[in-house]
Amino acid sequence: MTMFRIGEAADLLSVSADTVRRLIDGGRLPATRDEHGHRVVDGVDLAAYVRSDRDAAGSRSSARNRLRGIVTAVTRDTVMAQVEIQAGPFRVVSLMSREAADQLGLEVGCVAVAVVKSTTVVVELP
């Protein structure tokens, strides 16, 4: 089980630590206390929050080629795997071999980096 401190959760959500505290205090994001008394958020709970709050306002800039985020879904079959990552306001979906997903240990709630290399990148403004 991956646990995130408030600052780490804030970085993954692209919000301030105060915003994460308000989400916790308002009951929108569950949190517990670690052995030092600091509030922490379970990665699975953070992924569930991101899935429920995907309607984030888009930004007026293009995403970078390396997008750090939280894995929100992993769907495996016998040969392939589909992995969804929420990187700030950006949802990235990757198809890969199941073997690769298993070797990386990809599961909901873990941190991953989507590296995009493409000859075609579509840039849109909202």
Side-chain angles (χ1 to χ4, degrees):
M1 162 171 27
T2 304
M3 302 300 283
F4 297 99
R5 294 185 68 171
I6 288 178
E8 294 171 315
D11 287 344
L12 290 169
L13 296 174
S14 295
V15 299
S16 70
D18 285 340
T19 297
V20 173
R21 286 185 194 94
R22 282 192 296 275
L23 291 171
I24 292 168
D25 293 341
R28 294 181 60 201
L29 184 61
T32 57
R33 299 227 178 236
D34 66 11
E35 63 274 9
H36 304 291
H38 299 120
R39 290 193 286 187
V40 291
V41 178
D42 186 327
V44 173
D45 292 332
L46 187 59
Y49 171 77
V50 169
R51 278 193 306 271
S52 70
D53 195 41
R54 276 207 180 124
D55 192 26
S59 122
R60 296 182 59 98
S61 66
S62 177
R64 304 268 179 191
N65 289 339
R66 298 180 59 83
L67 303 168
R68 183 174 185 265
I70 186 168
V71 175
T72 57
V74 179
T75 306
R76 292 176 166 91
D77 68 15
T78 56
V79 178
M80 297 298 292
Q82 177 179 308
V83 179
E84 293 184 29
I85 298 172
Q86 190 73 33
F90 307 104
R91 177 175 168 250
V92 180
V93 179
S94 175
L95 298 176
M96 65 183 71
S97 70
R98 180 188 176 126
E99 179 183 9
D102 291 345
Q103 285 178 346
L104 289 171
L106 294 175
E107 52 189 52
V108 170
C110 72
V111 175
V113 177
V115 180
V116 180
K117 179 171 176 55
S118 176
T119 56
T120 304
V121 176
V122 177
V123 177
E124 298 178 342
L125 296 177

